[in-house]
Amino acid sequence: MNHIKLFVFYLSLILILVSIYMTHNYYKYKDFSGYSIKKLGKENIKTGDIFLLAYHKPQNLIGDLLMKVKFNHVSLAVWENGELYLIEYANYFDKYQGLLKIPYERWIRFNKNTTVLKNSISLSFSQNEKEDREEEKEIEKKILEYYYQNKDKMSEFKGGWNIGWYRFLYKKNKYRPLDLSYQTTCTEIMVSLLGDSGIVKKEKALSDYHQSDFIGMSGFSLPNNVKYTQDYLCSL
C-alpha cells in the first residue's frame, strides 16, 4: 500500500511540474499581443517574403508547448507569370499534400483561422534598379526550379512525430543536403529551399534550425545583399 501511495505521490508531483512548465510556455510562446496587426495585401507581397503560421488545434498546441514553439509552420511567397503563390511542405485535408505551390487566394482560405506573421525580404545588389530587378528574377527562378525539381519526390506529406526526430536533440553544425530517406519536416525543407535559392547561407545542418529562427530570420546568416524585416501579424 505504501508503494502505491508513493507512486501516486510522485506521479502527481510530475503532473504538477509538467502543468507549470506547459502553462509557463503557453504565456511565453503563445502570446501574440506584442505584434501589430495589419490587413494582408497581395500587392505588398514580394518573391522571397516568408510567412510563419501558428495553428491553434489541440494536437498542435501540446507539441508546441513541449518544444517551445511560437510558430509551427513556414511558407515562402513567389510570383510566377504575374500570379502569386505560396510554396510550402504541408498537408491540407489529405487532398493537397507534399511540396505545394498554392495560389494565394486558396492559401488564404486554407489558413483563415491561423495566426500568420509576415517577414518581408529586402534585396539590394547594386545602385542600379534594373540590375537589382534582374537579380530578383534570378532568385525567383531558383525558387521555382527547386519546386519543379522536387515536387514529385515530395508529393506525399510525411511529417509528424517519428523516431527520426532524435536528430533535433543535438547540433551537427555542418551543412548537409536534404536527405529524403527519412521523414523530413517543413522547417528542414524550407531551409533547403532558401539555401539553394541563395537567400540564406548554407552553414548548418537543416535539422539545426528551430522554428523560432525564422522570426525576422534572426537565426540565419544572410548574404550581404539580403535583409529581412519582421513586419506584422496578418489579418487574412
Side-chain angles (χ1 to χ4, degrees), residues 149-164:
Q149 289 172 3
N150 291 284
K151 67 184 183 74
D152 291 334
K153 303 174 188 175
M154 307 179 195
S155 59
E156 182 181 355
F157 182 77
K158 297 181 179 180
W161 293 90
N162 62 81
I163 191 64

Side-chain angles (χ1 to χ4, degrees), residues 57-69:
K57 299 176 182 178
Q59 62 266 35
N60 295 114
L61 186 60
I62 294 173
D64 291 350
L65 296 180
L66 287 173
M67 301 294 290
K68 301 180 180 180
V69 171

Side-chain angles (χ1 to χ4, degrees), residues 10 16 23-24 30 71 73 75 80 91 117 125 129 170 172 183 198 217 223:
Y10 281 116
I16 291 171
T23 302
H24 170 268
K30 291 302 178 182
F71 296 94
H73 190 62
S75 300
E80 183 181 27
N91 182 6
L117 177 71
F125 293 91
E129 186 175 337
Y170 65 97
K172 276 69 69 180
Q183 290 179 302
M217 300 302 284

Side-chain angles (χ1 to χ4, degrees), residues 44 46-50 76 118-127 132 135-136 139 194 197-201 213-231:
N44 296 322
K46 304 184 296 294
T47 288
D49 283 354
I50 289 175
L76 179 69
K118 181 175 183 282
N119 284 336
S120 294
I121 192 172
S122 176
L123 302 174
S124 178
F125 293 91
S126 68
Q127 299 299 317
D132 283 353
E135 293 292 345
E136 290 175 16
I139 287 180
L194 294 172
S197 302
I199 295 176
V200 303
K201 295 180 180 179
D213 292 327
F214 286 91
I215 301 177
M217 300 302 284
S218 59
F220 290 85
S221 294
L222 306 176
N224 293 332
N225 48 26
V226 178
K227 292 183 180 179
Y228 272 93
T229 304
Q230 175 190 311
D231 273 2

Side-chain angles (χ1 to χ4, degrees), residues 18 23 31 39 48 94 110 150 164 170 191 195 209 214 217:
V18 170
T23 302
D31 179 13
K39 183 69 177 177
D94 293 327
F110 287 168
N150 291 284
Y170 65 97
V191 175
Y209 292 92
F214 286 91
M217 300 302 284

